[in-house]
């Protein structure tokens, strides 16, 4: 029994290593995009042409309502309550704190890192008609003072990069898939998980597209938002773990998800 459990723990750690590797790669990509925005590098070259194209072609009437409704699929006021509720539900049913902790880790990381990036970068949104980047630590200090000092003047800097809606969508919808069908989720099922993860790409792509098409964000800001969302999603996925412990209310996890003796095949989380 001891040998089995040791093999299971080793297998669990090994199966989480790809997520850690992807986290490092995506964080590096986010850093590269941020650097391009700061120096106005080639990656930002399409920003102004895209803005010039979509700005005079904004939808109206029912088409505008539909576009805004899609964009709001990335709004935290819309997504956070059900996401936290789902994490709490899975935690209670499995008697395992990790699902809720994963949700809180993802949301907390997004709030902290996203806010720091926005404030420190200091980029103007397309609606002002100029593309200006005024980065610096002074932005962070001014924002902090405005947030915590009673009676302090409001922060007047710009906070357009990266797109928060795009980042939140990239965190929320794949995480929902893992909470529902992942190895440590509500109803572990690898086939449904794969389908749910592919389906999650639709709202992620749609929200990001609306951020640019509705001229809320520059195109590079949408890309930065997707990368930020992927970073915090992978943080949440690492917290969620492999799923070898914890019971499901309706029964134990399917055999293909369980860690087996050394050499036995296992599922992917």
């Amino acid at each position: 029994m001891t040998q089995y459990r040791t093999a299971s723990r080793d297998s669990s750690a090994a199966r989480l290593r790809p997520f850690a590797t992807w986290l490092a790669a995506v964080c590096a990509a986010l850093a590269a995009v941020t650097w391009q925005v700061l120096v106005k590098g080639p990656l930002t070259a399409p920003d102004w042409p895209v803005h010039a194209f979509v700005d005079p072609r904004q939808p109206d009437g029912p088409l505008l309502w539909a576009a805004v409704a899609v964009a709001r699929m990335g709004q935290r006021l819309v997504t956070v309550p059900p996401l936290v509720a789902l994490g709490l539900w899975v935690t209670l049913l499995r008697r395992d704190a990790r699902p809720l902790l994963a949700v809180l880790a993802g949301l907390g990381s997004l709030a902290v890192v996203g806010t720091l990036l926005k404030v420190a970068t200091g980029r103007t949104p397309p609606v002002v008609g100029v593309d200006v980047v005024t980065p610096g630590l002074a932005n962070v200090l001014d924002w902090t003072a405005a947030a915590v000092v009673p009676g302090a003047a409001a922060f007047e800097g710009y906070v357009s990069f990266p797109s928060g809606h795009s980042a939140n969508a990239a965190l929320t919808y794949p995480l929902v898939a893992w909470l529902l069908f992942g190895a440590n989720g509500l109803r572990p099922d690898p086939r449904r998980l794969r389908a749910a993860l592919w389906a999650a790409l639709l709202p992620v792509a749609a929200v990001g597209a609306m951020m640019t098409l509705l001229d809320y964000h520059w195109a590079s800001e949408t890309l930065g938002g997707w990368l930020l969302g992927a970073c915090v999603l992978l943080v949440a996925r690492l917290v969620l773990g492999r799923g070898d412990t914890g019971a499901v209310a309706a029964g134990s996890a399917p055999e293909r998800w369980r860690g087996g003796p050394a050499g036995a095949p296992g599922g992917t989380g």
Side-chain angles (χ1 to χ4, degrees):
M1 180 63 71
T2 300
Q3 183 179 3
Y4 170 84
R5 287 179 178 174
T6 301
S8 179
R9 284 196 297 270
D10 292 343
S11 175
S12 298
R15 292 180 191 282
L16 287 176
R17 287 191 196 113
F19 294 107
T21 302
W22 274 108
L23 175 60
V26 175
C27 286
L30 175 60
V33 172
T34 304
W35 169 69
Q36 284 287 286
V37 169
L38 293 176
V39 302
K40 294 191 174 180
L43 190 64
T44 66
D47 285 348
W48 189 266
V50 170
H51 160 66
F53 179 81
V54 302
D55 182 57
R57 295 174 173 83
Q58 290 301 294
D60 55 15
L63 191 58
L64 175 60
W65 301 339
V68 171
V70 171
R72 285 180 176 168
M73 293 174 65
Q75 191 172 33
R76 272 176 281 189
L77 185 63
V78 173
T79 63
V80 168
L83 181 60
V84 171
L86 177 60
L88 179 60
W89 186 27
V90 177
T91 281
L92 293 175
L93 289 179
R94 291 188 61 89
R95 299 186 293 278
D96 184 348
R98 286 177 294 177
L100 180 58
L101 290 177
V103 170
L104 297 179
L107 292 174
S109 300
L110 177 57
V112 173
V113 179
T115 299
L116 287 176
L117 269 178
K118 283 176 172 288
V119 173
T121 302
R123 193 184 193 187
T124 57
V127 68
V128 302
V130 295
D131 185 3
V132 176
V133 180
T134 55
L137 179 60
N139 292 351
V140 178
L141 296 177
D142 290 345
W143 179 88
T144 303
V148 303
V149 177
F155 177 68
E156 296 182 353
Y158 290 101
V159 290
S160 191
F161 175 87
S163 166
H165 280 63
S166 301
N168 187 50
L171 165 67
T172 299
Y173 297 101
L175 184 54
V176 166
W178 268 312
L179 288 172
L180 290 176
F181 304 120
N184 203 23
L186 186 65
R187 292 289 184 270
D189 187 314
R191 288 186 294 271
R192 290 183 179 179
L193 175 61
R194 284 191 292 270
L197 288 173
W198 280 109
L201 294 179
L202 294 176
V204 172
V207 169
M210 287 304 105
M211 289 299 102
T212 297
L213 294 177
L214 290 172
D215 216 24
Y216 295 157
H217 284 282
W218 306 101
S220 60
E221 294 177 347
T222 293
L223 175 60
W226 280 332
L227 290 171
L228 173 59
C231 286
V232 298
L233 170 67
L234 288 165
V235 169
R237 181 59 186 81
L238 287 170
V239 173
L240 187 58
R242 171 69 181 93
D244 297 313
T245 61
V248 181
S252 60
E255 187 68 30
R256 60 181 174 273
W257 284 105
R258 297 174 186 162
T268 57

